Amino acid sequence: MQPGHHPQQQPPINNNMTMSIVAIFLFWPLAIPAIISASKVNPLLQQGDHAGAQAAAAESRKWSKWALIVGISWYVVLLLCCALGGLGAIMSGNSSSN
């Protein structure tokens, strides 16, 4: 190594752990693989495997996004069913009292 020569630092990689943990509250079956992938990123970086860390981060992001999409969709459907069911009960209650 030459004096004054500094090895090029790789940019930090976001392991997506926060998004994976949020996703576990919305749809845990898809969030578990996201957390597992996110937990692999930092050890791979410490080993110098930058490409492997990027792949693990991308995998974590993919699973987290799917968990968020499925979880949010599920809650929207649930809220719509509750709202429509309540509306149906109100409507049927009004027609039977007349």
Side-chain angles (χ1 to χ4, degrees):
M1 189 182 261
Q2 297 174 356
H5 182 312
H6 300 288
Q8 184 178 357
Q9 285 287 77
Q10 297 287 346
I13 296 176
N14 181 0
N15 63 8
N16 302 301
M17 185 62 82
T18 304
M19 186 166 54
S20 301
I21 291 171
V22 169
I24 206 160
F25 294 107
L26 293 172
F27 194 72
W28 66 267
L30 295 178
I32 289 174
I35 290 174
I36 292 169
S37 295
S39 68
K40 293 177 182 179
V41 173
N42 290 341
L44 287 170
L45 281 175
Q46 289 172 349
Q47 295 171 6
D49 186 2
H50 196 74
Q54 284 181 325
E59 191 76 9
S60 174
R61 188 171 37 258
K62 176 187 77 170
W63 286 110
S64 295
K65 283 183 181 180
W66 276 110
L68 292 171
I69 289 167
V70 170
I72 291 170
S73 300
W74 173 253
Y75 283 113
V76 167
V77 167
L78 187 65
L79 286 172
L80 284 175
C81 287
C82 288
L84 292 176
L87 184 60
I90 291 170
M91 296 301 266
S92 66
N94 286 344
S95 63
S96 65
S97 66
N98 288 338

Coordinates of all heavy atoms in Angstrom, one line a residue:
M1 N 0.8 -1.2 0.0 CA 0.0 0.0 0.0 C 0.9 1.2 0.0 O 1.9 1.3 0.7 CB -0.9 0.0 1.2 CG -2.0 1.0 1.2 SD -3.0 1.0 2.7 CE -4.4 0.2 2.1
Q2 N 0.5 2.2 -0.8 CA 1.3 3.4 -0.9 C 1.0 4.4 0.2 O -0.2 4.4 0.6 CB 1.1 4.1 -2.3 CG 1.5 3.2 -3.4 CD 1.1 3.8 -4.7 OE1 0.4 4.9 -4.8 NE2 1.5 3.2 -5.8
P3 N 1.9 5.2 0.6 CA 1.6 6.2 1.7 C 0.6 7.2 1.1 O 0.7 7.6 -0.1 CB 2.9 6.8 2.0 CG 4.0 6.0 1.3 CD 3.3 5.1 0.3
G4 N -0.3 7.6 1.9 CA -1.3 8.5 1.4 C -2.4 7.9 0.6 O -3.3 8.6 0.2
H5 N -2.3 6.6 0.3 CA -3.4 6.0 -0.5 C -4.4 5.4 0.5 O -4.1 4.6 1.4 CB -2.7 4.8 -1.3 CG -3.7 4.1 -2.2 ND1 -4.9 3.7 -1.7 CD2 -3.7 3.8 -3.5 CE1 -5.6 3.1 -2.7 NE2 -4.8 3.1 -3.8
H6 N -5.6 5.8 0.3 CA -6.7 5.3 1.2 C -7.6 4.4 0.4 O -7.9 4.7 -0.7 CB -7.5 6.5 1.7 CG -6.7 7.4 2.6 ND1 -6.2 7.1 3.8 CD2 -6.3 8.7 2.3 CE1 -5.6 8.1 4.3 NE2 -5.6 9.1 3.4
P7 N -7.9 3.2 0.9 CA -8.7 2.3 0.2 C -10.1 3.0 0.0 O -10.6 3.7 0.9 CB -8.8 1.1 1.1 CG -8.3 1.5 2.4 CD -7.5 2.7 2.2
Q8 N -10.7 2.7 -1.1 CA -12.0 3.3 -1.4 C -13.1 2.7 -0.5 O -13.2 1.5 -0.5 CB -12.3 3.1 -2.9 CG -13.6 3.8 -3.3 CD -13.9 3.6 -4.8 OE1 -13.1 3.0 -5.5 NE2 -15.1 4.1 -5.2
Q9 N -13.8 3.6 0.2 CA -14.9 3.1 1.0 C -16.1 2.9 0.2 O -16.5 3.7 -0.6 CB -15.1 4.2 2.1 CG -14.1 4.2 3.2 CD -14.2 3.0 4.1 OE1 -13.8 1.9 3.8 NE2 -14.8 3.2 5.3
Q10 N -16.8 1.8 0.4 CA -18.0 1.5 -0.2 C -19.1 2.3 0.5 O -19.0 2.5 1.7 CB -18.3 0.0 -0.1 CG -17.3 -0.9 -0.8 CD -17.4 -0.8 -2.3 OE1 -18.4 -0.3 -2.9 NE2 -16.4 -1.3 -3.0
P11 N -20.1 2.8 -0.3 CA -21.2 3.5 0.4 C -22.0 2.6 1.3 O -22.0 1.4 1.0 CB -22.1 4.0 -0.8 CG -21.7 3.1 -1.9 CD -20.3 2.7 -1.7
P12 N -22.5 3.1 2.4 CA -23.2 2.3 3.3 C -24.5 1.7 2.6 O -25.0 2.3 1.7 CB -23.6 3.2 4.5 CG -23.5 4.6 3.9 CD -22.5 4.5 2.8
I13 N -24.9 0.5 3.1 CA -26.0 -0.2 2.6 C -27.1 -0.2 3.6 O -26.9 -0.5 4.8 CB -25.7 -1.6 2.1 CG1 -24.7 -1.6 1.0 CG2 -27.0 -2.4 1.7 CD1 -24.2 -3.0 0.6
N14 N -28.3 0.3 3.2 CA -29.5 0.2 4.1 C -29.9 -1.2 4.2 O -30.3 -1.8 3.2 CB -30.6 1.1 3.6 CG -31.8 1.2 4.5 OD1 -31.8 0.5 5.5 ND2 -32.8 1.9 4.1
N15 N -29.9 -1.8 5.4 CA -30.4 -3.2 5.6 C -31.9 -3.3 5.6 O -32.4 -4.5 5.7 CB -29.7 -3.8 6.8 CG -30.1 -3.2 8.1 OD1 -31.0 -2.3 8.1 ND2 -29.4 -3.5 9.1
N16 N -32.6 -2.3 5.7 CA -34.1 -2.3 5.7 C -34.7 -3.0 6.9 O -35.8 -3.4 6.8 CB -34.6 -3.0 4.4 CG -34.2 -2.3 3.1 OD1 -34.4 -1.1 3.0 ND2 -33.4 -3.0 2.3
M17 N -34.0 -3.0 8.0 CA -34.5 -3.6 9.2 C -35.7 -2.9 9.7 O -36.7 -3.5 10.2 CB -33.4 -3.7 10.3 CG -33.8 -4.5 11.5 SD -34.2 -6.2 11.2 CE -32.6 -6.9 11.2
T18 N -35.7 -1.6 9.7 CA -36.8 -0.8 10.2 C -38.1 -1.1 9.4 O -39.2 -1.4 10.0 CB -36.6 0.7 10.1 OG1 -35.4 1.0 10.8 CG2 -37.7 1.5 10.7
M19 N -38.0 -1.2 8.1 CA -39.2 -1.5 7.3 C -39.6 -2.9 7.5 O -40.8 -3.2 7.6 CB -38.9 -1.3 5.8 CG -40.1 -1.4 4.9 SD -40.0 -0.8 3.2 CE -38.6 -1.6 2.6
S20 N -38.7 -3.8 7.8 CA -39.0 -5.2 8.0 C -39.8 -5.4 9.4 O -40.7 -6.1 9.5 CB -37.8 -6.1 8.1 OG -37.1 -6.0 6.8
I21 N -39.3 -4.6 10.4 CA -40.0 -4.7 11.7 C -41.4 -4.1 11.6 O -42.3 -4.6 12.2 CB -39.1 -4.0 12.7 CG1 -37.9 -4.8 13.0 CG2 -39.9 -3.8 14.0 CD1 -36.8 -4.2 13.8
V22 N -41.5 -3.0 10.9 CA -42.9 -2.4 10.7 C -43.8 -3.4 10.0 O -44.9 -3.6 10.3 CB -42.8 -1.1 9.9 CG1 -44.2 -0.6 9.5 CG2 -42.1 0.0 10.8
A23 N -43.2 -4.1 9.0 CA -44.0 -5.0 8.2 C -44.5 -6.2 9.0 O -45.5 -6.8 8.7 CB -43.2 -5.5 7.0
I24 N -43.8 -6.5 10.0 CA -44.2 -7.7 10.8 C -45.5 -7.5 11.5 O -46.2 -8.4 11.8 CB -43.0 -8.1 11.8 CG1 -43.2 -9.6 12.1 CG2 -43.1 -7.3 13.1 CD1 -41.9 -10.2 12.7
F25 N -45.8 -6.2 11.8 CA -47.1 -5.9 12.4 C -48.2 -5.9 11.4 O -49.4 -5.9 11.8 CB -47.0 -4.5 13.1 CG -46.1 -4.5 14.3 CD1 -44.9 -3.8 14.2 CD2 -46.4 -5.1 15.5 CE1 -44.0 -3.8 15.3 CE2 -45.5 -5.1 16.5 CZ -44.3 -4.5 16.4
L26 N -47.9 -5.8 10.1 CA -49.0 -5.8 9.1 C -49.2 -7.2 8.5 O -50.4 -7.6 8.4 CB -48.6 -4.8 8.0 CG -48.6 -3.4 8.4 CD1 -48.0 -2.5 7.3 CD2 -50.0 -2.9 8.8
F27 N -48.1 -8.0 8.2 CA -48.3 -9.3 7.7 C -47.1 -10.1 7.9 O -46.1 -10.1 7.2 CB -48.6 -9.2 6.2 CG -49.1 -10.5 5.6 CD1 -50.4 -11.0 5.9 CD2 -48.3 -11.3 4.8 CE1 -50.9 -12.2 5.4 CE2 -48.8 -12.5 4.3 CZ -50.1 -12.9 4.6
W28 N -47.0 -10.8 9.1 CA -45.8 -11.4 9.6 C -45.3 -12.6 8.7 O -44.1 -12.8 8.7 CB -46.0 -11.9 11.0 CG -47.0 -13.0 11.2 CD1 -48.3 -12.8 11.5 CD2 -46.8 -14.4 11.1 NE1 -48.9 -14.0 11.6 CE2 -48.0 -15.0 11.4 CE3 -45.7 -15.1 10.8 CZ2 -48.1 -16.4 11.3 CZ3 -45.8 -16.5 10.8 CH2 -47.0 -17.1 11.0
P29 N -46.1 -13.3 8.0 CA -45.6 -14.4 7.2 C -44.5 -13.9 6.1 O -43.6 -14.7 5.8 CB -46.8 -15.1 6.5 CG -47.9 -14.8 7.4 CD -47.6 -13.4 8.0
L30 N -44.7 -12.8 5.6 CA -43.8 -12.2 4.6 C -42.7 -11.4 5.3 O -41.6 -11.2 4.7 CB -44.5 -11.4 3.5 CG -45.5 -12.2 2.6 CD1 -46.2 -11.3 1.7 CD2 -44.8 -13.3 1.9
A31 N -43.0 -10.9 6.4 CA -42.0 -10.1 7.1 C -40.8 -10.9 7.7 O -39.7 -10.3 7.9 CB -42.7 -9.2 8.2
I32 N -41.1 -12.1 8.1 CA -40.0 -12.9 8.7 C -38.9 -13.1 7.7 O -37.7 -12.9 8.1 CB -40.6 -14.3 9.2 CG1 -41.5 -14.0 10.4 CG2 -39.5 -15.3 9.5 CD1 -42.2 -15.2 11.0
P33 N -39.1 -13.5 6.4 CA -37.9 -13.6 5.5 C -37.3 -12.2 5.3 O -36.0 -12.2 5.1 CB -38.5 -14.1 4.2 CG -39.9 -14.6 4.5 CD -40.3 -14.0 5.8
A34 N -38.0 -11.1 5.4 CA -37.4 -9.8 5.3 C -36.5 -9.5 6.5 O -35.4 -9.0 6.2 CB -38.5 -8.7 5.3
I35 N -36.9 -9.9 7.7 CA -36.0 -9.7 8.8 C -34.8 -10.6 8.7 O -33.6 -10.1 9.0 CB -36.8 -9.9 10.1 CG1 -37.8 -8.8 10.3 CG2 -35.8 -10.0 11.3 CD1 -38.7 -9.0 11.5
I36 N -34.9 -11.8 8.3 CA -33.8 -12.7 8.1 C -32.8 -12.1 7.1 O -31.6 -12.1 7.4 CB -34.3 -14.1 7.8 CG1 -35.0 -14.8 8.9 CG2 -33.1 -15.0 7.3 CD1 -35.7 -16.0 8.6
S37 N -33.3 -11.7 6.0 CA -32.4 -11.1 5.0 C -31.7 -9.8 5.5 O -30.5 -9.6 5.3 CB -33.2 -10.8 3.7 OG -33.7 -11.9 3.1
A38 N -32.5 -9.0 6.2 CA -31.9 -7.7 6.7 C -30.8 -8.0 7.7 O -29.8 -7.3 7.8 CB -33.0 -6.9 7.4
S39 N -31.0 -9.1 8.5 CA -30.0 -9.4 9.5 C -28.7 -10.0 8.9 O -27.6 -10.1 9.6 CB -30.5 -10.4 10.5 OG -30.7 -11.7 9.9
K40 N -28.7 -10.3 7.6 CA -27.5 -10.8 7.0 C -26.6 -9.7 6.4 O -25.4 -9.9 6.1 CB -27.9 -11.7 5.8 CG -28.5 -13.0 6.3 CD -28.9 -13.9 5.1 CE -29.6 -15.1 5.5 NZ -30.1 -15.9 4.4
V41 N -27.2 -8.5 6.2 CA -26.5 -7.4 5.5 C -25.2 -7.0 6.3 O -24.1 -7.0 5.7 CB -27.4 -6.2 5.3 CG1 -26.6 -5.0 4.7 CG2 -28.5 -6.6 4.4
N42 N -25.3 -6.6 7.5 CA -24.1 -6.1 8.2 C -23.0 -7.2 8.4 O -21.8 -6.8 8.1 CB -24.5 -5.6 9.6 CG -25.3 -4.3 9.5 OD1 -25.2 -3.6 8.4 ND2 -26.0 -3.9 10.5
P43 N -23.3 -8.5 8.7 CA -22.2 -9.4 8.7 C -21.5 -9.6 7.4 O -20.3 -9.8 7.3 CB -22.9 -10.7 9.2 CG -24.1 -10.3 9.9 CD -24.5 -9.0 9.2
L44 N -22.3 -9.5 6.3 CA -21.7 -9.7 4.9 C -20.8 -8.5 4.7 O -19.7 -8.6 4.1 CB -22.8 -9.8 3.9 CG -23.5 -11.1 3.8 CD1 -24.7 -11.1 2.9 CD2 -22.5 -12.2 3.4
L45 N -21.2 -7.3 5.1 CA -20.3 -6.1 4.9 C -19.0 -6.2 5.7 O -18.0 -5.8 5.2 CB -21.1 -4.8 5.3 CG -22.1 -4.3 4.3 CD1 -22.8 -3.1 4.9 CD2 -21.4 -3.9 3.0
Q46 N -19.1 -6.7 6.9 CA -17.9 -6.9 7.7 C -17.0 -7.9 7.1 O -15.8 -7.8 7.3 CB -18.3 -7.3 9.2 CG -19.0 -6.2 9.9 CD -19.6 -6.7 11.3 OE1 -19.6 -7.9 11.5 NE2 -20.0 -5.8 12.1
Q47 N -17.5 -8.9 6.4 CA -16.7 -9.9 5.7 C -16.1 -9.3 4.4 O -15.3 -10.0 3.8 CB -17.5 -11.1 5.4 CG -17.9 -11.9 6.6 CD -18.9 -13.0 6.3 OE1 -19.1 -13.3 5.1 NE2 -19.4 -13.6 7.3
G48 N -16.6 -8.2 4.0 CA -16.1 -7.6 2.8 C -16.9 -8.0 1.5 O -16.5 -7.7 0.4
D49 N -18.0 -8.7 1.7 CA -18.8 -9.1 0.6 C -19.9 -8.1 0.3 O -21.0 -8.2 0.7 CB -19.5 -10.5 1.0 CG -20.2 -11.1 -0.2 OD1 -20.3 -10.5 -1.3 OD2 -20.8 -12.2 0.0
H50 N -19.5 -7.0 -0.4 CA -20.4 -5.9 -0.7 C -21.5 -6.4 -1.6 O -22.7 -6.0 -1.4 CB -19.6 -4.8 -1.3 CG -20.3 -3.5 -1.3 ND1 -20.5 -2.7 -0.2 CD2 -20.9 -2.8 -2.3 CE1 -21.1 -1.6 -0.5 NE2 -21.4 -1.7 -1.8
A51 N -21.2 -7.2 -2.6 CA -22.3 -7.7 -3.5 C -23.3 -8.5 -2.8 O -24.5 -8.4 -3.0 CB -21.6 -8.4 -4.7
G52 N -22.8 -9.4 -1.9 CA -23.7 -10.2 -1.1 C -24.6 -9.4 -0.2 O -25.8 -9.7 0.0
A53 N -24.0 -8.3 0.4 CA -24.8 -7.4 1.3 C -25.8 -6.7 0.5 O -27.0 -6.5 1.0 CB -23.8 -6.5 2.0
Q54 N -25.5 -6.3 -0.7 CA -26.5 -5.6 -1.6 C -27.6 -6.5 -1.9 O -28.8 -6.2 -2.0 CB -25.8 -5.0 -2.8 CG -25.0 -3.8 -2.6 CD -24.4 -3.3 -3.9 OE1 -24.0 -4.0 -4.7 NE2 -24.3 -1.9 -4.0
A55 N -27.3 -7.8 -2.2 CA -28.3 -8.8 -2.6 C -29.2 -9.1 -1.4 O -30.4 -9.1 -1.6 CB -27.6 -10.1 -3.1
A56 N -28.6 -9.2 -0.2 CA -29.4 -9.4 1.0 C -30.3 -8.2 1.3 O -31.5 -8.4 1.7 CB -28.5 -9.7 2.2
A57 N -29.8 -7.0 1.1 CA -30.6 -5.8 1.3 C -31.8 -5.7 0.3 O -32.9 -5.4 0.7 CB -29.8 -4.6 1.2
A58 N -31.5 -6.1 -1.0 CA -32.6 -6.1 -2.0 C -33.6 -7.1 -1.7 O -34.8 -6.9 -1.8 CB -32.0 -6.4 -3.4
E59 N -33.2 -8.3 -1.2 CA -34.1 -9.4 -0.8 C -35.0 -8.9 0.4 O -36.2 -9.1 0.4 CB -33.3 -10.6 -0.4 CG -34.1 -11.8 -0.3 CD -34.6 -12.5 -1.6 OE1 -34.1 -12.0 -2.7 OE2 -35.4 -13.4 -1.5
S60 N -34.4 -8.3 1.3 CA -35.1 -7.7 2.5 C -36.1 -6.7 2.1 O -37.3 -6.7 2.5 CB -34.1 -7.1 3.5 OG -34.8 -6.5 4.5
R61 N -35.7 -5.8 1.2 CA -36.6 -4.8 0.7 C -37.8 -5.4 -0.1 O -38.9 -5.0 0.1 CB -35.8 -3.8 -0.2 CG -36.6 -2.6 -0.7 CD -35.8 -1.5 -1.4 NE -34.7 -2.1 -2.2 CZ -33.4 -2.1 -1.9 NH1 -33.0 -1.7 -0.7 NH2 -32.5 -2.6 -2.7
K62 N -37.5 -6.4 -0.9 CA -38.6 -7.1 -1.6 C -39.6 -7.7 -0.7 O -40.8 -7.5 -0.8 CB -38.0 -8.2 -2.5 CG -39.0 -9.0 -3.3 CD -38.4 -10.1 -4.0 CE -38.1 -11.2 -3.1 NZ -37.7 -12.5 -3.7
W63 N -39.2 -8.5 0.3 CA -40.1 -9.1 1.2 C -40.9 -8.1 2.1 O -42.0 -8.3 2.3 CB -39.4 -10.1 2.1 CG -39.0 -11.4 1.4 CD1 -37.7 -11.8 1.1 CD2 -39.8 -12.4 0.9 NE1 -37.7 -13.0 0.4 CE2 -39.0 -13.4 0.3 CE3 -41.2 -12.6 0.9 CZ2 -39.6 -14.5 -0.3 CZ3 -41.7 -13.8 0.4 CH2 -40.9 -14.7 -0.2
S64 N -40.2 -7.1 2.5 CA -40.8 -6.0 3.3 C -41.9 -5.3 2.5 O -43.0 -5.1 3.0 CB -39.8 -5.0 3.7 OG -38.9 -5.5 4.6
K65 N -41.6 -5.0 1.2 CA -42.6 -4.3 0.4 C -43.9 -5.2 0.2 O -45.0 -4.8 0.3 CB -42.0 -3.9 -0.9 CG -41.2 -2.7 -0.8 CD -40.7 -2.3 -2.2 CE -39.8 -1.0 -2.1 NZ -39.3 -0.6 -3.4
W66 N -43.6 -6.5 0.0 CA -44.8 -7.4 -0.2 C -45.6 -7.5 1.1 O -46.8 -7.6 1.0 CB -44.3 -8.8 -0.7 CG -44.1 -8.8 -2.2 CD1 -43.0 -8.9 -2.9 CD2 -45.2 -8.7 -3.2 NE1 -43.2 -8.9 -4.2 CE2 -44.6 -8.8 -4.4 CE3 -46.6 -8.6 -3.1 CZ2 -45.3 -8.7 -5.6 CZ3 -47.3 -8.5 -4.3 CH2 -46.7 -8.6 -5.5
A67 N -44.9 -7.6 2.2 CA -45.6 -7.7 3.5 C -46.4 -6.4 3.7 O -47.6 -6.5 4.2 CB -44.6 -7.9 4.6
L68 N -45.9 -5.3 3.4 CA -46.6 -4.0 3.5 C -47.8 -3.9 2.6 O -48.9 -3.5 3.0 CB -45.7 -2.8 3.3 CG -44.6 -2.6 4.3 CD1 -43.6 -1.5 3.9 CD2 -45.2 -2.2 5.7
I69 N -47.6 -4.3 1.4 CA -48.7 -4.3 0.4 C -49.8 -5.2 0.8 O -51.0 -4.8 0.8 CB -48.2 -4.7 -1.0 CG1 -47.3 -3.6 -1.6 CG2 -49.3 -5.0 -2.0 CD1 -46.5 -3.9 -2.8
V70 N -49.5 -6.5 1.2 CA -50.5 -7.4 1.6 C -51.2 -7.0 2.9 O -52.4 -7.0 3.0 CB -49.9 -8.8 1.7 CG1 -50.9 -9.8 2.4 CG2 -49.5 -9.4 0.4
G71 N -50.4 -6.5 3.8 CA -50.9 -6.1 5.1 C -51.9 -4.9 5.0 O -53.0 -4.9 5.6
I72 N -51.4 -3.9 4.3 CA -52.3 -2.7 4.1 C -53.5 -3.1 3.3 O -54.6 -2.6 3.7 CB -51.5 -1.6 3.5 CG1 -50.4 -1.1 4.4 CG2 -52.4 -0.4 3.0 CD1 -49.4 -0.1 3.8
S73 N -53.4 -3.9 2.3 CA -54.6 -4.3 1.5 C -55.6 -5.0 2.4 O -56.8 -4.8 2.3 CB -54.1 -5.2 0.3 OG -53.3 -4.5 -0.5
W74 N -55.0 -5.9 3.2 CA -55.9 -6.7 4.1 C -56.7 -5.8 5.1 O -57.9 -6.0 5.3 CB -55.1 -7.7 4.9 CG -55.8 -8.4 5.9 CD1 -55.8 -8.3 7.3 CD2 -56.8 -9.4 5.7 NE1 -56.6 -9.1 7.9 CE2 -57.3 -9.8 7.0 CE3 -57.3 -10.0 4.6 CZ2 -58.3 -10.8 7.1 CZ3 -58.3 -11.0 4.7 CH2 -58.8 -11.4 6.0
Y75 N -56.0 -4.8 5.6 CA -56.7 -3.9 6.5 C -57.7 -3.0 5.8 O -58.8 -2.7 6.4 CB -55.7 -3.0 7.3 CG -55.0 -3.8 8.4 CD1 -53.7 -4.1 8.4 CD2 -55.7 -4.3 9.5 CE1 -53.0 -4.8 9.4 CE2 -55.1 -5.0 10.5 CZ -53.8 -5.2 10.4 OH -53.2 -6.0 11.4
V76 N -57.4 -2.6 4.6 CA -58.4 -1.8 3.8 C -59.6 -2.7 3.5 O -60.8 -2.2 3.7 CB -57.7 -1.3 2.5 CG1 -58.8 -0.8 1.5 CG2 -56.7 -0.3 2.8
V77 N -59.4 -3.9 3.1 CA -60.6 -4.8 2.9 C -61.4 -5.0 4.1 O -62.6 -5.0 4.1 CB -60.1 -6.2 2.3 CG1 -61.2 -7.2 2.3 CG2 -59.6 -6.0 0.9
L78 N -60.7 -5.2 5.2 CA -61.4 -5.4 6.5 C -62.2 -4.2 6.9 O -63.3 -4.3 7.3 CB -60.3 -5.7 7.6 CG -60.8 -6.1 9.0 CD1 -61.5 -7.5 8.9 CD2 -59.6 -6.2 9.9
L79 N -61.6 -3.0 6.8 CA -62.3 -1.8 7.1 C -63.5 -1.6 6.2 O -64.6 -1.2 6.6 CB -61.4 -0.6 7.0 CG -60.4 -0.4 8.1 CD1 -59.4 0.7 7.8 CD2 -61.1 -0.2 9.5
L80 N -63.4 -1.9 4.9 CA -64.5 -1.8 4.0 C -65.6 -2.7 4.3 O -66.8 -2.4 4.3 CB -64.0 -2.0 2.5 CG -63.3 -0.8 1.9 CD1 -62.8 -1.3 0.5 CD2 -64.1 0.4 1.8
C81 N -65.3 -3.9 4.7 CA -66.3 -4.9 5.0 C -67.0 -4.5 6.3 O -68.2 -4.6 6.4 CB -65.6 -6.3 5.2 SG -65.1 -7.1 3.7
C82 N -66.3 -4.0 7.3 CA -66.9 -3.5 8.5 C -67.8 -2.3 8.2 O -68.9 -2.2 8.7 CB -65.9 -3.1 9.5 SG -65.0 -4.5 10.2
A83 N -67.3 -1.4 7.4 CA -68.1 -0.2 7.1 C -69.4 -0.6 6.3 O -70.5 -0.1 6.6 CB -67.3 0.8 6.3
L84 N -69.2 -1.4 5.3 CA -70.4 -1.9 4.5 C -71.3 -2.7 5.3 O -72.5 -2.6 5.2 CB -69.9 -2.6 3.3 CG -69.2 -1.7 2.2 CD1 -68.7 -2.6 1.1 CD2 -70.0 -0.6 1.8
G85 N -70.8 -3.5 6.2 CA -71.6 -4.4 7.1 C -72.4 -3.5 8.0 O -73.6 -3.7 8.3
G86 N -71.8 -2.5 8.6 CA -72.5 -1.6 9.5 C -73.5 -0.8 8.7 O -74.6 -0.5 9.2
L87 N -73.2 -0.3 7.5 CA -74.1 0.4 6.7 C -75.3 -0.5 6.4 O -76.5 0.0 6.4 CB -73.4 0.9 5.4 CG -74.3 1.8 4.5 CD1 -74.7 3.1 5.2 CD2 -73.5 2.2 3.3
G88 N -75.1 -1.7 6.0 CA -76.1 -2.7 5.7 C -77.0 -2.9 6.9 O -78.3 -3.0 6.8
A89 N -76.5 -3.0 8.1 CA -77.3 -3.1 9.3 C -78.1 -1.9 9.6 O -79.3 -2.0 10.0 CB -76.4 -3.4 10.5
I90 N -77.5 -0.7 9.4 CA -78.3 0.5 9.6 C -79.5 0.6 8.6 O -80.6 0.9 9.0 CB -77.4 1.7 9.5 CG1 -76.4 1.8 10.6 CG2 -78.2 3.0 9.4 CD1 -75.3 2.8 10.5
M91 N -79.2 0.2 7.4 CA -80.2 0.3 6.3 C -81.3 -0.7 6.6 O -82.5 -0.4 6.4 CB -79.6 0.1 4.9 CG -78.6 1.2 4.5 SD -79.4 2.8 4.5 CE -79.8 2.9 2.8
S92 N -81.0 -1.9 7.0 CA -82.0 -2.9 7.3 C -82.8 -2.5 8.5 O -84.0 -2.8 8.6 CB -81.4 -4.3 7.4 OG -80.6 -4.4 8.5
G93 N -82.1 -1.9 9.5 CA -82.8 -1.4 10.7 C -83.8 -0.3 10.4 O -84.9 -0.3 11.0
N94 N -83.5 0.5 9.5 CA -84.4 1.6 9.1 C -85.6 1.1 8.4 O -86.7 1.6 8.5 CB -83.7 2.7 8.2 CG -82.8 3.5 9.0 OD1 -82.9 3.6 10.3 ND2 -81.9 4.2 8.3
S95 N -85.4 0.1 7.5 CA -86.6 -0.3 6.7 C -87.5 -1.2 7.5 O -88.7 -1.2 7.2 CB -86.0 -1.1 5.5 OG -85.3 -2.3 5.9
S96 N -87.0 -1.9 8.5 CA -87.9 -2.7 9.3 C -88.7 -1.9 10.3 O -89.8 -2.3 10.8 CB -87.1 -3.8 10.1 OG -86.2 -3.2 11.0
S97 N -88.2 -0.7 10.7 CA -89.0 0.1 11.7 C -90.1 0.9 11.0 O -90.9 1.4 11.7 CB -88.0 1.1 12.4 OG -87.4 2.0 11.5
N98 N -90.1 1.1 9.7 CA -91.1 1.8 9.0 C -92.3 1.0 8.8 O -92.7 0.1 8.5 CB -90.6 2.4 7.7 CG -89.6 3.5 7.9 OD1 -89.6 4.1 9.0 ND2 -88.8 3.8 6.9

